[in-house]
């Protein structure tokens, strides 16, 4: 069952979006559209390309590696930009990016995430799952700034 949970904030423009869903091969496209809409509402359109690509990688990881393909997406407007989180119930933490075989067609998602966003990480959840998160600031690498 997919569910939408409205923002807990009372402002006219919600500052967060949370959705629990079961992802499939077309989910990333729909999530990119949702992210684009919220970034536009938050006047953070300059982060759209980076956020969309990073979310695509995280959703692809859930599709490929999480047995039940269920996750919760959180988009959170911050003073300095945006934070995105993808939480699942699968407790296996993802490895940190490593050097890969040049011929491999898979395994580059975390390397790409590391190259795109200002900060990212993996945190275990109290229920035994994990949250993979990233932050993009108003002065992100996509706009030519050096990494944090």
């Amino acid at each position: 069952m997919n569910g939408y949970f409205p923002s807990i904030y009372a402002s006219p423009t919600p500052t967060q979006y949370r959705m629990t869903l079961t992802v499939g091969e077309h989910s990333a496209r729909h999530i990119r559209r949702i992210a684009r809409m919220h970034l536009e509402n938050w006047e953070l359109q300059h982060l759209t390309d980076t956020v969309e690509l990073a979310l695509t990688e995280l959703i692809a990881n859930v599709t490929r590696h999480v047995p039940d393909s269920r996750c919760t997406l959180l988009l959170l407007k911050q003073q300095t930009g945006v934070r995105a989180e993808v939480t699942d119930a699968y407790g296996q933490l993802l490895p940190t990016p490593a050097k890969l075989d040049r011929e491999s067609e898979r395994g580059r998602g975390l390397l790409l995430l590391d190259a795109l966003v200002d900060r990212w990480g993996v945190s275990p959840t109290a229920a035994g799952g994990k949250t993979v998160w990233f932050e993009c600031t108003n002065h992100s690498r996509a706009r030519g700034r050096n990494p944090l």
Side-chain angles (χ1 to χ4, degrees):
M1 172 200 283
N2 297 337
Y4 166 71
F5 301 96
S7 174
I8 59 172
Y9 300 102
S11 67
T13 303
T15 57
Q16 75 173 19
Y17 173 84
R18 182 184 313 263
M19 178 175 63
T20 299
L21 69 158
T22 301
V23 294
E25 68 178 79
H26 300 293
S27 298
R29 175 180 47 172
H30 300 297
I31 290 169
R32 285 193 302 268
R33 188 177 317 133
I34 290 166
R36 188 178 320 122
M37 178 192 68
H38 285 287
L39 291 168
E40 184 177 314
N41 288 341
W42 297 335
E43 298 181 358
L44 296 171
Q45 300 92 320
H46 58 282
L47 299 176
T48 300
D49 290 339
T50 302
V51 170
E52 284 184 0
L53 186 52
L55 279 173
T56 298
E57 291 303 321
L58 296 187
I59 296 304
N61 282 342
V62 171
T63 303
R64 286 186 196 117
H65 304 295
V66 175
D68 66 1
S69 297
R70 290 187 52 78
C71 67
T72 299
L73 166 70
L74 172 66
L75 298 174
L76 179 63
K77 179 183 178 192
Q78 298 181 313
Q79 284 186 336
T80 59
V82 66
R83 178 181 174 105
E85 299 180 359
V86 175
T87 302
D88 63 66
Y90 191 50
Q92 180 178 342
L93 294 179
L94 298 173
T96 57
K99 192 171 184 175
L100 297 171
D101 177 8
R102 298 180 116 187
E103 300 299 316
S104 175
E105 293 183 13
R106 290 191 166 196
R108 291 187 170 85
L110 293 179
L111 290 170
L112 183 58
L113 185 68
D114 192 53
L116 286 172
V117 302
D118 293 300
R119 294 177 358 123
W120 74 276
V122 180
S123 306
T125 65
K130 68 181 169 305
T131 297
V132 183
W133 58 271
F134 67 84
E135 294 178 351
C136 294
T137 66
N138 289 322
H139 303 287
S140 71
R141 294 182 212 183
R143 294 179 47 174
R145 185 173 176 228
N146 290 329
L148 293 178

